Amino acid sequence: MRILLLTALSAHLASSVLVVGTFFMLLLAGPSRAPTARRWEGAMVVWGRLLLLVALGSGIVWLLVRTALFEGRAQAALEPRAVLHAVLDTWPGLIWLARHGILVILAAFLAIRSDLTERRDWIAARVEALALGALALALMSASSHAAAISPGTALTVAIDACHLLGTGVWLGGLVALGALLRAASRDADADDRAHAVITARRFSRVALVAMLALMGSGVLNALAQVENIAALVGTPHGRLLLAKVAVLVPILGLAAVNRRRLLPALPGPEAMRRLVAFVGVEAMLALVLLVLAAAMTLTTPARHAEPVWPLPVRLSLDTPLDGSATRWRALLASQLAVLGAVALIASFFSLRRRAPLLAGALALAAVAAAVGLPPFVVDAYPTTYRRPLRTYHATSIASGSAIYWGQCAACHHGTPADLRSASTSRRHAGELFWLVSHGRPERGMPAFENRLEEAQRWDVINFIRALGTAAGSKSLGAQVQLDGAWLIAPDFTISVGPLAPGALRDYRGRRMVLLVLYTLPGSRARISELARKYNLLSTLGVEIIAVPMQTSADAIRELGASPPVLFPVVTDGNAAIIATYGMFASGPHAELLIDRQGYVRAIWRDDTGEIQVQVERLNEEKSVPPFPDDHVH
Ligand code: HEC
């Protein structure tokens, strides 16, 4: 089924692309009275009709197969109700309908033979065909992966459309040009070569622009869809992209030879024949690109897929540069790299020694890498870049805590294998996941793959992260350190009585949060004071959230009615919050000030904090750190 879908989609994509390029080339070549050109034009219009038939046919097959996959049954492809549902009730279906409507109009338009002897009629007819074909092609991006990116959907769709149209002009034009050159290179038609040569030169200029647009939009597309190296080398989508780049390299090589060697030698018969052959090879490679592109649209975009890291090592820039040997290495490597860059620049300007200079530059770069990189190479595992299954949330940390104290602490807490060490905190969460799942039996670390569920393993990793930051949180005190946002406040659920539950993260970008962990009766005076100051703090942009340390059914009533407590008092799930935040501030009463981005900025381990002064400091802070990720890294 998948193969059929890929075949249909590739055929559809290729024919839609070729239609655009064919009509573009007809316009670029312009009307001509020469017999070869007229014959070529006639052949191109027939070719255009054929392409439209293929586009419509493969489009229908594509729709039917997609319906079957969508419904999960093969028969659904032949049930009118199911197909109508897929077309009319889904966004990709509506786009499909619009595009195929346009293709039918274009086909009808080409089927009517009209008299195009007038130059104006000729141009109007060709422009119309090109516009319809281009519209049908560009609309494809409205239901592509690009349309699923938000924010910035309009931009990513526009970039994708630009990529498609660039492909249309370049690849479609290439095939049409190949046909023209072939026709003109036959000896009998030698008198018509001038027209073909002029067209080839014009196309060469356009193709350069189209290729630059293609590569530019391709890079932007990749940045939006793939996002990082792990997704590029570790997901099927990313690897298809790498394959595309690998096919692109010989295409660019051929294009460069065509442009620099063969075009200037036209209309020599030898150059003409070689150009025909090269253009043919280029077009074949480009069709391979299209199949890869179609396969990419059928795979999960890399940024949503779980990358599987293929190598046993990776580069880590977090590695500390300690030890003079490492520093000497880094220095030597950087100097070699600079020399390499100088050689590279020189090779561009030198006319005669270009090749040796370029080879020298590459050799210097290789030696620099061999000298400088080893200290940054660290072990890596297939799951290194896996995204945690569980977010950095108090409930996850609390259940991780129970697992840790039950199953890990005996070997790990306060021993040489302490998980609070800097070397453990430098590891990616996905690496910890691998180590916990598979263990290192030869060094005494058991495997937990069969003893803990996957979610439990991620819980314990969230806990290890919290444990690591808790050690550092000792340096956070009553004073807000400007530009010192690093302690991510784990998210938690705020459920108060019958109201719909909210979350700490709902305040992000809007308000600061003063998290008050309290114990009665000791905290009563402080809670009353905060209740009185609530309005003032609210105006300064602070929400207060109070969490009782001991669980009691009457927690809210116990606070008393005067002064009224108007801020949320979280009684459901308070144990998880206390277990998590208690790691940063233990004691019967503690207050933590969380800034608008979601970082803990001040911790009071008693009830005497001058909240207002610190809040005003935060309000004046200029630099705003990015929002922390919901998952640990
Ligand atoms: C029987 C003792 C033992 C138990 C139980 C144990 N570990 Fe370990 N663990 C070790 C030893 C020993 C090492 C060091 C292995 C090495 O030197 O590479 C280790 C290494 C690790 C590492 C790698 C640290 C690093 O940065 O290299 C992680 C992560 C880890 N353990 C997590 C856990 C977790 C989570 C649990 C509980 C679910 C657990 N361990 C239970 C003994 C144990």
Side-chain angles (χ1 to χ4, degrees):
M1 207 65 135
R2 292 246 142 217
I3 296 287
L4 187 59
L5 191 65
L6 178 64
T7 316
L9 184 57
S10 304
H12 184 77
L13 186 64
S15 48
S16 307
V17 158
L18 290 173
V19 164
V20 171
T22 306
F23 286 101
F24 177 79
M25 272 313 275
L26 284 179
L27 262 174
L28 193 73
S32 162
R33 302 212 178 282
T36 322
R38 306 258 326 235
R39 239 178 294 134
W40 170 71
E41 196 180 328
M44 282 302 105
V45 174
V46 173
W47 168 235
R49 285 191 198 126
L50 193 74
L51 286 173
L52 275 174
L53 279 183
V54 175
L56 285 168
S58 56
I60 290 170
V61 175
W62 171 34
L63 174 70
L64 298 182
V65 178
R66 238 200 32 201
T67 307
L69 286 174
F70 184 67
E71 298 266 331
R73 319 172 272 128
Q75 316 86 290
L78 300 175
E79 290 168 13
R81 263 175 56 113
V83 176
L84 271 184
H85 172 62
V87 172
L88 297 177
D89 300 335
T90 65
W91 173 250
L94 289 175
I95 296 289
W96 184 94
L97 195 64
R99 293 189 47 247
H100 287 73
I102 296 171
L103 290 178
V104 168
I105 296 174
L106 179 55
F109 182 71
L110 288 184
I112 304 166
R113 277 169 209 281
S114 47
D115 172 30
L116 298 179
T117 39
E118 277 288 321
R119 192 182 160 81
R120 237 185 303 145
D121 293 344
W122 186 93
I123 292 181
R126 298 293 177 246
V127 169
E128 245 161 358
L130 176 62
L132 286 172
L135 188 61
L137 181 62
L139 265 179
M140 264 188 141
S141 50
S143 64
S144 68
H145 286 328
I149 291 188
S150 75
T153 316
L155 184 67
T156 45
V157 168
I159 291 172
D160 196 54
C162 175
H163 199 68
L164 280 170
L165 290 178
T167 317
V169 165
W170 170 67
L171 170 56
L174 204 60
V175 172
L177 178 71
L180 177 64
L181 289 175
R182 238 176 89 89
S185 69
R186 290 197 196 108
D187 283 340
D189 296 319
D191 52 332
D192 289 330
R193 275 191 196 151
H195 174 254
V197 171
I198 291 172
T199 309
R201 296 225 163 102
R202 275 190 204 152
F203 177 74
S204 164
R205 277 193 291 272
V206 174
L208 186 67
V209 176
M211 189 41 98
L212 289 179
L214 262 179
M215 293 204 284
S217 54
V219 168
L220 291 177
N221 248 342
L223 288 179
Q225 298 288 355
V226 180
E227 289 182 343
N228 54 44
I229 300 284
L232 183 66
V233 298
T235 62
H237 188 256
R239 288 179 191 160
L240 284 170
L241 180 61
L242 284 180
K244 261 180 93 174
V245 174
V247 178
L248 188 65
V249 172
I251 291 184
L252 289 181
L254 280 175
V257 174
N258 289 350
R259 203 179 147 73
R260 303 186 71 187
R261 295 268 158 78
L262 298 182
L263 271 185
L266 289 185
E270 180 55 29
M272 195 77 133
R273 259 194 299 281
R274 286 192 41 200
L275 191 57
V276 173
F278 279 20
V279 164
V281 175
E282 228 182 296
M284 293 306 285
L285 288 173
L287 286 174
V288 175
L289 275 190
L290 278 187
V291 176
L292 291 172
M296 276 177 85
T297 66
L298 296 180
T299 49
T300 315
R303 69 202 169 97
H304 291 316
E306 284 297 352
V308 177
W309 185 249
L311 306 174
V313 291
R314 68 178 171 96
L315 284 182
S316 161
L317 295 181
D318 295 338
T319 316
L321 272 183
D322 42 33
S324 61
T326 316
R327 246 173 278 144
W328 274 108
R329 262 171 180 268
L331 189 68
L332 182 61
S334 63
Q335 298 314 305
L336 287 170
V338 169
L339 272 181
V342 171
L344 186 69
I345 294 169
S347 77
F348 281 119
F349 290 105
S350 153
L351 290 180
R352 268 190 248 138
R353 302 211 174 75
R354 184 169 286 175
L357 274 172
L358 198 61
L362 289 179
L364 278 170
V367 175
V371 171
L373 291 183
F376 297 98
V377 174
V378 297
D379 288 352
Y381 309 92
T383 59
T384 288
Y385 294 95
R386 179 88 74 86
R387 227 173 139 66
L389 195 62
R390 308 267 271 156
T391 57
Y392 194 50
H393 193 283
T395 49
S396 166
I397 296 171
S399 62
S401 163
I403 297 167
Y404 175 84
W405 292 110
Q407 310 210 25
C408 324
C411 292
H412 279 292
H413 213 73
T415 63
D418 202 313
L419 297 176
R420 289 169 295 184
S421 70
S423 63
T424 302
S425 59
R426 267 198 299 275
R427 288 196 191 279
H428 282 306
E431 281 167 6
L432 297 180
F433 182 73
W434 184 270
L435 292 168
V436 175
S437 302
H438 302 277
R440 278 187 170 166
E442 74 287 359
R443 298 168 77 164
M445 166 70 193
F448 284 89
E449 196 171 26
N450 300 323
R451 288 206 250 162
L452 296 172
E453 301 279 319
E454 183 177 347
Q456 289 180 309
R457 279 172 267 151
W458 287 115
D459 285 342
V460 81
I461 287 160
N462 277 337
F463 174 77
I464 293 174
R465 276 291 189 261
L467 199 62
T469 54
S473 73
K474 301 240 165 22
S475 65
L476 277 188
Q479 296 277 330
V480 165
Q481 303 295 320
L482 291 182
D483 303 322
W486 62 269
L487 179 59
I488 299 172
D491 196 15
F492 55 80
T493 310
I494 304 168
S495 64
V496 180
L499 301 178
L504 177 66
R505 71 187 310 287
D506 298 344
Y507 291 98
R508 282 202 192 158
R510 298 195 299 125
R511 296 175 78 70
M512 291 172 240
V513 169
L514 180 71
L515 179 64
V516 182
L517 314 179
Y518 71 90
T519 316
L520 290 181
S523 305
R524 176 153 290 133
R526 179 64 167 175
I527 296 280
S528 298
E529 185 192 343
L530 289 173
R532 275 194 300 276
K533 283 196 185 155
Y534 183 49
N535 268 339
L536 173 71
L537 288 172
S538 221
T539 354
L540 287 172
V542 186
E543 179 59 88
I544 298 177
I545 297 173
V547 185
M549 291 215 169
Q550 66 290 62
T551 303
S552 147
D554 278 341
I556 299 192
R557 209 163 45 80
E558 281 164 12
L559 285 174
S562 116
V565 172
L566 298 176
F567 43 79
V569 177
V570 181
T571 49
D572 278 358
N574 64 331
I577 304 175
I578 298 294
T580 301
Y581 281 87
M583 291 161 74
F584 308 129
S586 56
H589 186 101
E591 294 169 14
L592 298 97
L593 183 60
I594 299 167
D595 69 11
R596 289 190 178 82
Q597 301 304 105
Y599 296 91
V600 178
R601 302 298 299 274
I603 301 178
W604 293 277
R605 294 171 175 90
D606 55 25
D607 57 4
T608 59
E610 292 195 59
I611 316 287
Q612 205 176 320
V613 183
Q614 303 309 320
V615 164
E616 275 162 6
R617 264 170 87 86
L618 276 184
N619 271 334
E620 278 162 24
E621 196 173 42
K622 297 273 180 313
S623 65
V624 179
F627 290 118
D629 201 315
D630 290 339
H631 296 87
V632 295
H633 286 288

